[in-house]
Amino acid sequence: MKLVFLLLGVLAWAQQPTPVPVPADGFYLGPVSTNYTIDVFYDHLCSDSKDAFPALYQYWTANQAWLGMNIHIFPLPYHDFSFVVAQAGRYIQQNYPTKFMNFVTYMFNYQYIILNNSPSWDFPTVQSKVAGLTNQATGVAYNEVLSALDDSNINMSSRYSYKYSSSRTMTGTPLYLINDVWVPEVTDYTTYSQWVSFFSGLNS
């Protein structure tokens, strides 16, 4: 019976209208006004996101004068404890924005620690490990991050962000919108040269 109530609760949550995020969802990098903005949907524990991130970030870094990039974290339910990592990232994004890209890079590089060990971890252990990794990535105190993982406001903010990505009909990661248009052909890009060719084509 408890399972029935849980499933009904999840269904009710899923059918609720998407809250308007304030501020707008995502972590934005680049100029305020630009002809091109790429919205990126990543999961910190997604191996495909890990493989895709370095090339796009390198391309954005080389072209940040004209290219906007908005990073959305979309924790996928089939990656165990990806939501916990997303909460830690949400806390860093909101409270230490200059450290957020350090967090993103570090979590991709060390996602295997969670992916390989999470089947044998209980929830408190996962929280402790994520807090420790976040401390290593950003320098933010372990206990501060651990407290944030039990913060109802951070939890709700992370849920709203997840619901935003769902409302954009994102079904996995990595996925991309360019100027608010889904561009499926770039989904498998993992090299700098692929992004060079793509934007060269847009500008030709």
Side-chain angles (χ1 to χ4, degrees), residues 21-35:
V22 180
D25 191 70
F27 185 79
Y28 184 80
L29 299 165
V32 174
S33 179
T34 178
N35 286 335

Side-chain angles (χ1 to χ4, degrees), residues 28-37 60 63-69:
Y28 184 80
L29 299 165
V32 174
S33 179
T34 178
N35 286 335
Y36 292 110
T37 297
W60 174 82
N63 297 279
Q64 58 185 288
W66 60 268
L67 178 61
M69 182 166 68

Side-chain angles (χ1 to χ4, degrees), residues 27-105:
F27 185 79
Y28 184 80
L29 299 165
V32 174
S33 179
T34 178
N35 286 335
Y36 292 110
T37 297
I38 180 168
D39 283 271
V40 184
F41 295 82
Y42 286 142
D43 177 353
H44 292 302
L45 297 187
C46 168
S47 58
D48 290 333
S49 295
K50 172 185 178 293
D51 292 341
F53 168 72
L56 178 57
Y57 192 48
Q58 180 188 7
Y59 183 80
W60 174 82
T61 300
N63 297 279
Q64 58 185 288
W66 60 268
L67 178 61
M69 182 166 68
N70 198 21
I71 299 175
H72 307 270
I73 300 304
F74 185 39
L76 301 174
Y78 45 83
H79 291 147
D80 290 342
F81 304 116
S82 61
F83 191 79
V84 179
V85 184
Q87 280 185 268
R90 192 73 172 174
Y91 181 74
I92 298 300
Q93 177 184 336
Q94 292 179 346
N95 295 275
Y96 301 94
T98 61
K99 300 177 183 293
F100 181 68
M101 294 310 298
N102 291 340
F103 178 87
V104 172
T105 301

Side-chain angles (χ1 to χ4, degrees), residues 45-198:
L45 297 187
C46 168
S47 58
D48 290 333
S49 295
K50 172 185 178 293
D51 292 341
F53 168 72
L56 178 57
Y57 192 48
Q58 180 188 7
Y59 183 80
W60 174 82
T61 300
N63 297 279
Q64 58 185 288
W66 60 268
L67 178 61
M69 182 166 68
N70 198 21
I71 299 175
H72 307 270
I73 300 304
F74 185 39
L76 301 174
Y78 45 83
H79 291 147
D80 290 342
F81 304 116
S82 61
F83 191 79
V84 179
V85 184
Q87 280 185 268
R90 192 73 172 174
Y91 181 74
I92 298 300
Q93 177 184 336
Q94 292 179 346
N95 295 275
Y96 301 94
T98 61
K99 300 177 183 293
F100 181 68
M101 294 310 298
N102 291 340
F103 178 87
V104 172
T105 301
Y106 192 91
M107 283 301 179
F108 280 147
N109 288 338
Y110 293 94
Q111 64 177 212
Y112 69 88
I113 294 175
I114 299 173
L115 293 174
N116 291 346
N117 294 288
S118 60
S120 63
W121 288 346
D122 59 16
F123 193 70
T125 299
V126 170
Q127 288 185 310
S128 176
K129 297 296 185 181
V130 170
L133 290 169
T134 303
N135 166 257
Q136 293 166 25
T138 66
V140 177
Y142 166 87
N143 286 333
E144 182 179 346
V145 178
L146 193 62
S147 295
L149 294 177
D150 282 326
D151 187 307
S152 60
N153 290 326
I154 297 298
N155 181 279
M156 190 58 65
S157 177
S158 301
R159 289 173 183 266
Y160 284 175
S161 180
Y162 172 87
K163 203 164 183 66
Y164 169 82
S165 295
S166 297
S167 75
R168 303 308 310 272
T169 65
M170 295 297 120
T171 57
T173 57
L175 290 175
Y176 307 91
L177 303 174
I178 297 178
N179 288 358
D180 217 30
V181 174
W182 180 42
V183 187
E185 61 264 35
V186 306
T187 300
D188 296 326
Y189 281 10
T190 57
T191 68
Y192 179 85
S193 61
Q194 287 173 310
W195 287 108
V196 171
S197 296
F198 175 79

